[in-house]
Amino acid sequence: DRAGARRVRSRRRGRPVTPRLVWVDVFASAPLTGNPLAVVLEADGWETERMRSLAAELGLSETVFALPPAAGGDAALRIFTPASELPVAGHPVVGAAWVLHHAGRAPARARLETGAGPLEVRVRGEVATMEQPPPRRGPEVDAAEVAAALGTAAAPAPAARVWSTGVPQLMLPVPGVAALEGVRPDHPALERLGERDGWLGVSAFAVEGDGGGRLRARVRHFAPRLGVPEDPVTGSAAGALGACLADAGHGEGDHLELVVDQRTAAGRGGEVAVRVDRGGGAPARVRVGGRVTPVLEGILTLP
């Protein structure tokens, strides 16, 4: 529980600790699938440059550094890609929630402090979920221009638009799974377009249909501005896609249930469960989650 986590933190005060690295796969359908994540525990006192350098050394799409809370939460997180720091991101928060809980550092229902504010997370067995920052509807962009940079064609609806659940992501519909599999991105062109239009990554997606009360979508995601040419499976983009599709009228009544199946050209990826609740006819609350599987643990011997 929350009190237990605070007791663990109090026992650590006043004695030196060795930083540990826990490697997990997030949104994984089986071991060695999903999106790899490194979570560094005991990163108290680390300078930003050291965090940035380790994230670049590891080369994963994101590395998380868990720190003592500063605003009444259970832990604070800093999130780095190989190229920059992010205020928040989906698979790092989901993976860190699972790691912190299983390490005895946070309760099953916790609040994690991020650059986008405190976020509620829950862990139950192999599954972790997070509530994302409120969805924001951004500007529409030239779909044909972005599709050309991806080496594919754009579908007519919904509109190619920037959506954010903490990270601005462009949602680009394509005509079907074949068009998605045929994507051949021009990364420098995508960087230029993202810089100009204010987005950090682009999700090319195809809605596959409704099964068992849940909408399914196939996705490929590219974020060269963050040093991530193609991401295996992206929680922030999955939440943004849920907001996009809920805004377009998908779902039943006041909510949308969505399964995002995201994979790279090489086949690495996994699934994200997304729920979007509407308020006043617009997407108002987004939660994402999925399975987390441990891969390895180690100690860091940096001086």
Side-chain angles (χ1 to χ4, degrees), residues 64-202:
V64 178
F65 297 85
L67 304 167
D74 294 284
L77 305 180
R78 293 186 68 181
I79 303 167
F80 288 81
T81 77
S84 62
E85 183 174 5
L86 293 174
V88 69
H91 105 276
V93 174
V94 169
W98 189 93
V99 169
L100 287 165
H101 176 62
H102 284 269
R105 308 295 172 82
R109 182 171 180 173
R111 288 177 69 80
L112 301 183
E113 298 169 10
T114 74
L119 301 175
E120 182 181 282
V121 297
R122 299 186 186 189
V123 179
R124 184 174 182 179
E126 298 178 320
V127 175
T129 62
M130 68 174 291
E131 181 165 351
Q132 298 193 319
R136 297 186 181 277
R137 188 176 190 260
E140 188 174 337
V141 306
D142 186 332
E145 187 178 26
V146 179
L150 285 169
T152 188
R161 185 181 297 278
V162 179
W163 283 89
S164 175
T165 53
V167 180
Q169 310 276 17
L170 175 60
M171 300 295 114
L172 179 79
V174 299
V177 173
L180 196 64
E181 292 174 345
V183 164
R184 297 293 182 269
D186 179 340
H187 294 298
L190 292 175
E191 285 192 69
R192 291 192 297 271
L193 292 173
E195 180 72 30
R196 186 193 72 188
D197 295 336
W199 46 268
L200 295 176
V202 53

Side-chain angles (χ1 to χ4, degrees), residues 11-12 24 58 63 87 110 124 126 141 186 196 223 232 251 268 272 294 297 302:
R11 288 197 296 269
R12 294 164 50 213
V24 293
L58 294 173
T63 297
R124 184 174 182 179
E126 298 178 320
V141 306
D186 179 340
R196 186 193 72 188
R268 178 76 188 233
V272 186
E297 292 188 31
L302 296 171

